[in-house]
Amino acid sequence: MLYSTQSAKQTMALGKKLSSQLKGGEVFGLSGELGAGKTTLVKGIALGLGVKKPITSPTFVLMKVYRATNRPIKKLVHIDCYRLKGSEELAAIGAPEYFGQNDTVVLIEWPAKVKKILPKKILNVKLKLGKKNNQRNINFNNR
Ligand SMILES: Nc1ncnc2c1ncn2[C@@H]1O[C@H](COP(=O)(O)OP(=O)(O)OP(=O)(O)O)[C@@H](O)[C@H]1O
Ligand SMILES: [Mg+2]
């Protein structure tokens, strides 16, 4: 499914809408260049899942675990692999323990860097800058 948004606000709204379909156990890979809107989409999903703390980019800490309040989803895990050299670094901090947990949704920016340790059933979202200034094309291919 391909969406086109015209502002960060619209991308957040899309994430919020998407969150209402989540059951828990999903692992998302969010791909796209710097500034494509990956973190913005995560913010919208977090809003929809009732995360109260503000989502900040986990670039320097690699992984952040937030408490979600929309049952059955209790945790939102946000991972940013931009600075990683490989899968081992992510495995070392215990990230794979969150994959596929029924009460957890995992969102991974720059998933290509950690391909080796990702589950097979990852949901891929590809974000691209559009032709217009604030346009972003967001493709959910669910494979
Ligand atoms: N339609 C849009 N959707 C999302 N963000 C938009 C849109 N239009 C403009 N923006 C701006 O683009 C930037 C997107 O930043 P964001 O941190 O979400 O990107 P990112 O893909 O996570 O980048 P990085 O790889 O650096 O983590 C924000 O400054 C946001 O305000
Ligand atoms: Mg980001």
Side-chain angles (χ1 to χ4, degrees):
M1 192 79 97
L2 181 65
Y3 295 89
S4 184
T5 64
Q6 312 304 324
S7 66
K9 207 173 154 189
Q10 276 186 18
T11 297
M12 274 182 72
L14 180 65
K16 192 176 174 203
K17 201 173 111 188
L18 165 75
S19 73
S20 67
Q21 295 169 26
L22 300 177
K23 297 185 166 58
E26 292 89 354
V27 178
F28 285 91
L30 310 176
S31 314
E33 59 203 289
L34 292 168
K38 302 179 293 295
T39 300
T40 304
L41 189 68
V42 173
K43 285 179 182 172
I45 293 170
L47 195 68
L49 293 180
V51 172
K52 302 273 175 358
K53 268 198 191 166
I55 300 278
T56 52
S57 190
T59 303
F60 295 99
V61 293
L62 188 54
M63 177 170 81
K64 284 190 180 169
V65 182
Y66 296 90
R67 184 161 12 133
T69 57
N70 278 15
R71 280 191 283 169
I73 298 168
K74 296 195 187 116
K75 285 177 208 158
L76 181 152
V77 179
H78 185 196
I79 297 170
D80 190 336
C81 302
Y82 183 65
R83 282 165 194 280
L84 280 194
K85 298 225 167 58
S87 308
E88 296 75 17
E89 279 177 75
L90 190 60
I93 61 164
E97 287 165 34
Y98 293 103
F99 300 167
Q101 295 290 332
N102 284 334
D103 64 350
T104 305
V105 171
V106 180
L107 298 137
I108 306 174
E109 299 188 33
W110 302 96
K113 298 226 178 185
V114 294
K115 228 176 181 171
K116 264 200 264 170
I117 59 162
L118 293 181
K120 282 201 190 92
K121 272 174 55 185
I122 184 166
L123 302 166
N124 285 303
V125 183
K126 299 203 166 104
L127 299 94
K128 278 190 184 146
L129 299 180
K131 284 201 181 114
K132 282 177 265 165
N133 239 350
N134 293 328
Q135 186 188 352
R136 302 289 189 273
N137 299 320
I138 304 173
N139 193 3
F140 296 85
N141 67 11
N142 288 356
R143 247 175 251 267

